[in-house]
Amino acid sequence: MDHGLKTVVGTFDKNKTFGFVRPDNPRINMDIFVPIERSKGAVTGHKVVVELTSYGGKGKKPEGKVIEIIGHENDPVRISCLWCGRMDFRWNSRRKY
């Protein structure tokens, strides 16, 4: 993983004691581990922005913390992703700009 990379947009998957983010960018081929206390209450299916806190290495996954919950992948309204510049997820229509 590129060490210049600071944030990643992806889909959150929650387990009992941790979560992980599957990056939307196909060039990032590793899930990002997120301790449950750093998940900001994200649930499985949330599109999130995660800030990388560790790049991993030697058998460890990269680690991060959720800094923003963008919406849920099943929300009915689609918009352009502000973080990645493409239409690739559903947006919470109640959010105001």
Side-chain angles (χ1 to χ4, degrees):
M1 181 176 290
D2 178 9
H3 288 251
L5 191 62
K6 302 288 185 219
T7 59
V8 174
V9 174
T11 304
F12 189 81
D13 284 308
K14 182 179 178 182
N15 291 312
K16 283 186 176 183
T17 58
F18 66 93
F20 60 92
V21 174
R22 289 177 286 121
D24 286 352
N25 186 334
R27 292 180 292 178
I28 303 172
N29 59 0
M30 302 176 92
D31 293 340
I32 300 162
F33 175 80
V34 178
I36 202 70
E37 64 273 6
R38 302 186 101 192
S39 68
K40 270 192 138 176
V43 298
T44 296
H46 269 152
K47 284 293 184 178
V48 299
V49 180
V50 66
E51 179 181 296
L52 296 172
T53 57
S54 167
Y55 292 97
K58 295 193 179 185
K60 294 190 91 178
K61 288 185 180 270
E63 189 170 320
K65 65 179 181 178
V66 174
I67 59 173
E68 184 176 358
I69 297 173
I70 299 171
H72 196 277
E73 64 185 355
N74 293 331
D75 286 346
V77 179
R78 293 179 67 87
I79 67 157
S80 176
C81 174
L82 300 174
W83 294 89
C84 56
R86 62 190 169 115
M87 295 269 290
D88 67 348
F89 67 90
R90 296 181 185 273
W91 182 259
N92 181 340
S93 60
R94 294 178 296 273
R95 184 170 177 166
K96 305 271 189 223
Y97 285 96

